[in-house]
Amino acid sequence: MNEYQLLVEAFNRTTYPLSGHGKRNIQVLKEAFKDTDEKLDSDIYGSGQLIEEFQAEMAEFLGKESAVFFPSGTMAQQIALRIWCDRKGLKKVAYHPLCHLEIHEQDGLKELHHIEPVLLANKQSLIQLDDVLNMGPDIACLLLELPQREIGGQLPDYTELEAISAYCREQGILLHLDGARLFEILPYYGKTAAEVCALFDSVYVSFYKGIGGIAGAILAGSSDFTQESKIWKRRHGGDLISLYPYITSADYYFKQRVHKMGQYYEGAKELAGFFNRCHAVSTLPLVPVSNMFHVHFEMPKEKLVPILIAIYESTGIGLAQVLREIEGTTSCYYEVSIGDRYAEVPTEKIREALEMLDQKMREAL
């Protein structure tokens, strides 16, 4: 058994995993359907009361004229960018080098839509106004991801965001929000979803990340934009005969958790504080700006794995399930995403686990 499998198995045996809401098993769906009227009609090919009511609810929450439910964010965002490029008569979009479309979608935007990406900022930095001012000509749309997941969930200052939005509107550049974790950043900004979305022409949000649904996404914007997105949704095969398992779970967990984002944010700040007291351990960002952050260890993962397993077996606390190497270094990291589970863990157990981590890191280095 390799080190990866050993770590996963040890993590799965822990009493108190710190991240997320719980296991993604069939109970997630059973819970969402427990109080559902069994006579409620399902949606059919993108129409029907169930889907239309949820889309209207989300459009209002996001402050947009209209919204469309998609089976995946990958589909929703490629379609949004295709629409904006067609309207501008340009085939260039700008986004971060670690944007989901660039590193996780097998070049879908390029291969399916023949759209050329222009990469802004370097991999470890946020897109700033200066990057936008110098991004070159013939850009149809700029995509901003809030928070920027691959660099620890960092966020620009809100004033910077407002300045980028104002510049794009002055220049006729469409602005799209990759808001997969939009709900999670609202406590930090102290804004409503509608206030943040007002800065953007279109917005995508996910229902399986912080919300914890089965799958699915919303794409929101003007009515003419979302009508066009429905055509592309059909072309992409996104109009399944029924999407109600995804919609029902999205609706249920949205109502259960959207008001808890402040709680998750405070939990993330507390946990990051514990990590930052440990020898050769640091978080990115130092103080989280949402419920997520990265934990960096100044140690190769093959040396860290037995340390973590010992902590899991001694304390019952589950920290990392997967460790990733940091290119060009002997360090590694993992991603934390605080959800319902964190509040269920006794604080003294967390302190015990992190004190043990500190001690073992000092002994090993």
Side-chain angles (χ1 to χ4, degrees):
M1 190 178 296
N2 62 36
E3 62 184 23
Y4 169 77
Q5 293 170 318
L6 288 170
L7 185 62
V8 169
E9 289 200 3
F11 180 89
N12 288 337
R13 291 193 299 267
T14 59
T15 306
Y16 300 114
L18 296 186
S19 286
H21 300 301
K23 289 187 176 180
R24 291 186 61 82
N25 54 26
I26 195 67
Q27 183 59 36
V28 176
L29 189 58
K30 290 173 69 176
E31 174 74 17
F33 272 86
K34 66 179 182 179
D35 296 322
T36 301
D37 182 357
E38 63 186 24
K39 295 181 181 178
L40 180 65
D41 289 336
S42 71
D43 59 300
I44 298 178
Y45 293 120
S47 63
Q49 179 182 346
L50 186 144
I51 189 171
E52 290 165 8
E53 286 186 353
F54 184 65
Q55 289 173 163
E57 175 187 351
M58 292 314 305
E60 182 177 3
F61 188 84
L62 299 171
K64 294 299 183 186
E65 286 182 355
S66 182
V68 178
F69 190 87
F70 279 80
S72 80
T74 296
M75 183 186 297
Q77 294 211 104
Q78 288 186 23
I79 285 171
L81 298 183
R82 174 60 186 264
I83 291 170
W84 293 140
C85 284
D86 284 353
R87 291 196 182 182
K88 297 292 293 185
L90 300 168
K91 282 291 188 178
K92 286 185 184 179
V93 298
Y95 51 59
H96 193 273
L98 297 180
C99 173
H100 194 280
L101 288 98
E102 187 67 14
I103 66 173
H104 290 305
E105 299 182 15
Q106 300 294 316
D107 289 336
L109 190 68
K110 304 168 193 174
E111 296 295 330
L112 297 178
H113 299 284
H114 309 293
I115 292 172
E116 175 188 347
V118 174
L119 305 182
L120 301 186
N122 65 55
K123 288 184 177 181
Q124 301 308 318
S125 301
L126 290 167
I127 292 174
Q128 302 287 347
L129 179 60
D130 284 347
D131 299 306
V132 178
L133 295 176
N134 295 298
M135 66 185 176
D138 301 329
I139 303 294
C141 179
L142 167 64
L143 179 151
L144 295 181
E145 179 185 353
L146 304 177
Q148 194 71 51
R149 179 204 178 175
E150 299 291 340
I151 54 173
Q154 296 182 57
L155 284 171
D157 291 337
Y158 199 74
T159 53
E160 187 84 6
L161 201 56
E162 291 177 311
I164 291 172
S165 175
Y167 175 79
C168 287
R169 288 189 173 155
E170 289 168 6
Q171 300 300 314
I173 299 166
L174 283 309
L175 189 58
H176 173 75
L177 172 59
D178 178 341
R181 295 166 177 81
L182 169 65
F183 307 126
E184 294 92 313
I185 68 172
L186 300 179
Y188 174 76
Y189 277 149
K191 303 289 183 182
T192 65
E195 286 172 326
V196 175
C197 292
L199 302 177
F200 295 83
D201 298 288
S202 56
V203 55
Y204 139 70
V205 294
S206 169
F207 289 104
Y208 77 86
K209 295 183 172 69
I211 293 299
I214 301 298
I218 278 285
L219 183 63
S222 63
S223 295
D224 61 313
F225 169 81
T226 56
Q227 275 304 121
E228 193 168 352
S229 79
K230 289 180 181 180
I231 297 170
W232 278 106
K233 181 183 174 188
R234 177 62 60 90
R235 289 168 175 163
H236 273 251
D239 265 339
L240 310 188
I241 185 170
S242 294
L243 288 165
Y244 69 87
Y246 307 109
I247 299 165
T248 300
S249 73
D251 188 28
Y252 176 80
Y253 289 110
F254 174 77
K255 290 180 170 67
Q256 291 286 313
R257 292 177 175 143
V258 73
H259 63 283
K260 292 184 178 180
M261 295 300 163
Q263 171 191 316
Y264 305 154
Y265 171 48
E266 293 302 321
K269 289 191 291 183
E270 178 183 78
L271 182 58
F274 291 147
F275 272 116
N276 285 313
R277 294 177 198 144
C278 296
H279 181 69
V281 181
S282 61
T283 67
L284 181 69
L286 184 65
V287 179
V289 292
S290 71
N291 71 322
M292 72 158 290
F293 58 93
H294 289 179
V295 183
H296 289 234
F297 303 91
E298 295 175 27
M299 179 181 285
K301 68 177 184 179
E302 61 269 18
K303 289 185 66 176
L304 182 60
V305 165
I307 291 175
L308 292 179
I309 291 174
I311 292 170
Y312 300 172
E313 292 175 346
S314 175
T315 68
I317 294 289
L319 302 175
Q321 186 174 22
V322 176
L323 293 170
R324 301 176 184 176
E325 295 175 330
I326 300 174
E327 187 178 351
T329 75
T330 56
S331 300
C332 59
Y333 78 99
Y334 87 104
E335 181 178 292
V336 176
S337 182
I338 297 298
D340 287 346
R341 287 200 289 203
Y342 186 76
E344 299 168 0
V345 184
T347 303
E348 61 270 19
K349 295 294 292 183
I350 300 173
R351 286 200 181 98
E352 178 188 353
L354 273 294
E355 286 169 3
M356 189 172 175
L357 175 65
D358 177 53
Q359 177 187 342
K360 288 186 173 295
M361 292 289 288
R362 291 178 187 278
E363 292 171 352
L365 292 171

